């Protein structure tokens, strides 16, 4: 399919990998890469770990070296926001003006949810982008006495672990009975809780935040919980999930439903695709319409969405990955491949839950649908391949890798 130009909105991991894929496929026409941040495309996973710890600086997380970025011959527009799109006229509106587009790939990602009433409050942080990570790092460099982390999901847990490794006292507040119970189930969620408590985190579960109090200078001083408890805090980090960045697409003619809704090939509309945290699509491997907020998915989906813009309908391929991600917390590498639910059948195939080093398989309707590993990277990758091959739960257990 011959396109005169392709606009990629979102200079993210998905966006830059999409641009690279277009060039690899021989697309020699104009590629416009638009990003609302002033920074060159960078990697996000280190933000809550190495960058926050102070061991890495910003130049180490760039996704593409300047010379390779130059070789891509992009019309790179940083610090520019997309403000609207009209599918019928194919008009893309940005903070720098409007223009008509031929192909459009949407990779605008997501933003952090915030605690109501804390906007502009000194000492309250979220962690999603580089500037936020550097602001939080500066707050930790000031050696606060206590950090309160709201939310014990993967970002909150990683921030808590990094703070403890910096010898900062941490209270982590979680609304669920056990951390990550909706993702990993209560039993494994309790293991995550034990790991944090063993490292000195004051973990409060089954409780929320009633309000955040400030001192006379407008800086956070105290977090009042819904059970009436009060926790002194110099820094508060909010990690309660993200919201896909789709507001600019309201009224565009695209379907917006917890993200940009695509078909199984990542097509959102004629000549329009989406990728990364903002994209939602039917993954027929799992019979589920999903939106995946993982690093590996952003890469694969960015490539697939780019290639879809160059592919006719008859040759379009469905995007059916096995989602996979990892989280580094203290000396544990937690990896999960597949799509698991708390009510799935579970079988530990190596190691033990008690030792916090194991690999567990998840089955549903007789089929292998997921594998979770604590410090078992080899096993996770081997069972991920079995999920891709569609192996049964019983055969996976019997394989004994």
């Amino acid at each position: 399919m011959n396109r005169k130009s392709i606009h990629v909105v979102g200079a993210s991991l998905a966006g830059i990998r999409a641009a690279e894929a277009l060039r690899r496929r021989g697309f020699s026409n104009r590629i416009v890469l638009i990003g609302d941040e002033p920074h060159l495309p960078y990697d996000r996973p280190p933000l809550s770990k190495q960058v926050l710890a102070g061991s890495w600086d910003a130049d180490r997380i760039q996704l593409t070296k300047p010379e390779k970025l130059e070789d891509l011959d992009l019309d790179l527009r940083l610090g520019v926001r997309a403000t609207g799109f009209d599918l019928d006229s194919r008009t893309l509106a940005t903070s720098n003006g409007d223009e008509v587009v031929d192909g459009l790939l949407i990779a605008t990602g997501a933003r952090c949810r915030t605690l109501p009433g804390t906007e502009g409050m000194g000492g309250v942080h979220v962690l999603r982008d580089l500037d936020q990570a550097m602001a939080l790092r500066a707050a930790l460099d000031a050696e606060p006495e206590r950090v309160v982390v709201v939310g014990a999901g993967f970002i909150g847990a990683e921030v808590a672990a990094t703070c403890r490794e910096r010898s900062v006292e941490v209270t982590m507040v979680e609304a669920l009975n056990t951390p990550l119970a909706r993702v990993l189930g209560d039993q494994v969620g309790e293991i995550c809780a034990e790991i944090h408590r063993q490292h000195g985190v004051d973990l409060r579960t089954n409780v929320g935040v009633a309000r955040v109090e400030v001192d006379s200078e407008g800086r956070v001083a105290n977090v009042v919980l819904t059970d009436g408890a009060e926790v002194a805090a110099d820094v508060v980090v909010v990690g309660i999930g993200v919201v896909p960045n789709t507001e600019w697409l309201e009224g565009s003619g695209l379907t917006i439903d917890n993200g940009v809704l695509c078909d199984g090939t990542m097509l959102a509309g004629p000549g329009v695709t989406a990728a990364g945290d903002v994209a939602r699509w039917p993954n027929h491997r799992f019979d589920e319409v999903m939106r995946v907020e993982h690093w590996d998915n952003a890469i694969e989906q960015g490539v697939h969405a780019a290639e879809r813009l160059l592919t006719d309908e008859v040759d379009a391929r469905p995007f059916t990955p096995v989602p996979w991600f990892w989280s580094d917390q203290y000396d544990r590498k937690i990896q999960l491949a597949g799509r698991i639910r708390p009510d799935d059948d579970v079988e530990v195939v190596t190691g033990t839950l008690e030792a916090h080093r194991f690999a567990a398989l998840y089955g549903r309707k007789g089929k292998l649908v997921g594998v979770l590993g604590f410090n078992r990277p080899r096993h996770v990758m081997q069972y991920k391949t079995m999920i891709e091959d569609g192996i049964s739960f019983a055969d996976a257990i019997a394989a004994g890798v």
Side-chain angles (χ1 to χ4, degrees):
M1 182 176 294
N2 185 28
R3 295 194 181 279
K4 295 179 181 178
S5 65
I6 292 176
H7 286 64
V8 180
V9 181
S12 56
L13 176 62
I16 189 63
R17 295 301 180 243
E20 292 170 347
L22 290 170
R23 293 301 189 217
R24 284 198 303 270
R25 280 286 301 266
F27 183 77
S28 58
N29 292 339
R30 187 168 66 122
I31 300 175
V32 181
L33 180 61
I34 300 171
D36 62 353
E37 294 185 59
H39 311 292
L40 291 173
Y42 59 86
D43 209 11
R44 294 186 190 274
L47 295 180
S48 58
K49 298 180 280 287
Q50 294 94 336
V51 172
L52 189 58
S55 56
W56 287 12
D57 286 322
D59 57 351
R60 189 164 176 178
I61 63 172
Q62 288 185 356
L63 287 168
T64 304
K65 298 296 183 183
E67 58 272 18
K68 291 187 177 180
L69 193 62
E70 187 174 344
D71 290 342
L72 291 174
D73 189 26
L74 304 177
D75 182 350
L76 183 62
R77 304 178 187 178
L78 299 178
V80 175
R81 290 185 302 106
T83 58
F85 176 65
D86 181 76
L87 184 61
D88 290 337
S89 66
R90 307 198 67 78
T91 301
L92 175 66
T94 75
S95 56
N96 270 10
D98 301 353
E99 58 187 294
V100 176
V101 303
D102 186 356
L104 175 65
L105 192 154
I106 300 166
T108 45
R111 66 186 182 280
C112 294
R113 297 182 186 275
T114 58
L115 280 178
T118 62
E119 295 81 2
M121 188 178 291
V124 177
H125 298 260
V126 294
L127 180 53
R128 178 73 182 178
D129 63 34
L130 177 58
D131 290 342
Q132 292 165 351
M134 296 306 289
L136 179 55
R137 185 166 96 174
L140 297 182
D141 287 344
E143 299 183 353
E145 290 188 14
R146 180 169 295 274
V147 171
V148 172
V149 177
V150 182
F154 286 109
I155 287 295
E158 289 177 359
V159 169
T162 301
C163 288
R164 288 300 299 134
E165 289 168 352
R166 292 184 60 141
S167 300
V168 178
E169 294 299 315
V170 176
T171 295
M172 186 157 57
V173 179
E174 171 55 52
L176 299 177
N177 289 326
T178 55
L180 300 165
R182 290 174 183 160
V183 180
L184 305 179
D186 287 333
Q187 187 177 27
V188 177
E190 186 54 42
I191 292 173
C192 296
E194 289 176 8
I195 291 172
H196 282 284
R197 287 182 172 126
Q198 288 172 357
H199 284 84
V201 173
D202 176 12
L203 176 60
R204 314 279 185 98
T205 60
N206 199 30
V207 67
V209 174
R211 65 183 183 277
V212 178
E213 298 176 337
V214 297
D215 60 19
S216 59
E217 297 180 353
R219 292 193 57 81
V220 62
N222 208 36
V223 178
V224 181
L225 306 183
T226 52
D227 62 1
E230 298 184 5
V231 183
D234 304 295
V235 174
V236 172
V237 184
V238 181
I240 54 175
V242 299
V243 180
N245 291 319
T246 58
E247 287 77 9
W248 67 283
L249 292 167
E250 294 296 338
S252 64
L254 301 174
T255 302
I256 306 302
D257 182 9
N258 185 28
V260 178
L261 189 62
C262 304
D263 69 10
T265 71
M266 301 315 304
L267 194 71
V272 181
T273 60
D277 294 3
V278 76
R280 190 162 172 259
W281 87 105
N283 185 337
H284 300 302
R285 184 185 298 276
F286 296 94
D287 295 322
E288 179 185 347
V289 178
M290 59 179 64
R291 188 174 63 82
V292 177
E293 301 168 4
H294 302 329
W295 182 88
D296 186 67
N297 180 76
I299 294 175
E300 293 187 19
Q301 204 167 50
V303 171
H304 192 99
E307 293 178 345
R308 181 65 181 90
L309 289 173
L310 305 179
T311 306
D312 292 323
E313 190 72 28
V314 66
D315 295 321
R317 298 177 295 106
F319 184 60
T320 58
V322 174
W324 168 78
F325 78 98
W326 79 96
S327 176
D328 293 321
Q329 300 174 32
Y330 309 108
D331 60 346
R332 295 294 186 270
K333 180 176 285 293
I334 304 170
Q335 294 173 297
L336 175 64
R339 296 290 281 188
I340 68 176
R341 300 172 186 167
D343 58 349
D344 287 337
D345 298 322
V346 184
E347 183 79 19
V348 175
V349 290
T350 181
T352 65
L353 298 179
E354 293 73 20
H356 302 166
R357 296 175 184 270
F358 64 91
L361 304 184
Y362 292 73
R364 190 182 314 138
K365 297 180 180 178
K367 183 179 179 181
L368 178 67
V369 294
V371 55
L372 171 69
F374 277 51
N375 287 11
R376 289 293 186 268
R378 176 178 66 85
H379 295 84
V380 170
M381 291 298 101
Q382 289 178 322
Y383 284 113
K384 178 178 181 288
T385 300
M386 293 185 194
I387 299 171
E388 293 169 345
D389 293 340
I391 195 170
S392 73
F393 187 48
D395 286 347
I397 293 171
V401 301

